[in-house]
Amino acid sequence: MHGSIYEFDRLPFVAKPSARPASRRSSRARSERAVPLVGIIRNPRSHRNKGQSPELADCSNILTETPATREALRECLLEFARRDIDYLVVDGGDGTVRDVMTCGDDIFGDDWPTFIVLPKGKTNALTVDLGLPNAWSLTEALAAARNGRSVVRRPLRVSAADAGSSAVQGFVLGAGVFTQATEAGQEAHRRGAFNSLAVAVTVLWVLLQTLFGGIGNAARSCSPMRLRDRASGEELPHG
C-alpha cells in the first residue's frame, strides 16, 4: 500500500456507488456458513510481514491478496464482495487499514464483513485502541471473531469541499501539527523505534519543538483551517 500522507489535491479515490455488487447476502445469512469465507488484504511491506509467509495460505476458505496499488486493492475488494466473504482481514498497519476502508467504502456501504486487524505495522495505534495484543495470529483472530469477541468503532471520513466525492476514511487521520508528528514518527521508525516506543519518541520530539523551537519552527506555526457543518454549510467556531 501507499505510505505517504494524503493531500487533498490527490485524494485516492472517487466513489462510484453503482459499482457495489448487488448479490451480497445479509449479515445473518453469511453468519450461518459452517466454514467462514475469509478475505485477507496483506501488505507485504508492513514491518512485521517482511520476510514472512502468509498465514493459513493453503486453506481453501482463505483468500489472500497482496495488491500493490490502490486500483488493484479496489479490484480485490470488489472480488471479495462478489464472493460474499464473512471476514475481511487487514494484515498490515494503520496505513493499510486506512487504504482498505477508503477503497472499500462504496463497495460495502453499511454492510461490511466482520473487520479483523492483524497488527503488522510499525506503530499500530489502532490496535492499542482496540486492546489487541502485539503478536496476534490469524488463527487467534478468527477464533475471537467466531466467539463473538468484538468492539464497535466508527471510522473518520475526511474530504475536501471542492474535491467532489473523493475522501479518505480510517481511524488514524489528522492535519496540521498531526501530520508533522506523523513525519516525525516515520523518522523514529527509520532510526529503529517501533510501536509504543515510536509513539513516545514522537510525542517527546513534538513537545520539545513546541516548547523550545524558534519563531520559524514548523511545530509552532499555525495551520489555518475552516470547519463547516456538512448539513447546514455554516462555518463552525474553533480555536
Side-chain angles (χ1 to χ4, degrees), residues 127-138:
T127 60
V128 174
D129 174 60
L130 297 176
L132 301 179
N134 285 331
W136 206 35
S137 70
L138 177 59

Side-chain angles (χ1 to χ4, degrees), residues 163-214:
S165 55
S166 297
V168 174
Q169 187 163 277
F171 294 96
V172 184
L173 305 169
V177 70
F178 180 90
T179 61
Q180 296 170 18
T182 300
E183 294 290 2
Q186 294 297 330
E187 180 62 27
H189 296 326
R190 286 189 286 270
R191 295 180 182 274
F194 301 102
N195 296 305
S196 297
L197 178 59
V199 174
V201 170
T202 301
V203 170
L204 179 60
W205 182 89
V206 172
L207 285 175
L208 290 174
Q209 293 293 314
T210 302
L211 294 174
F212 303 109

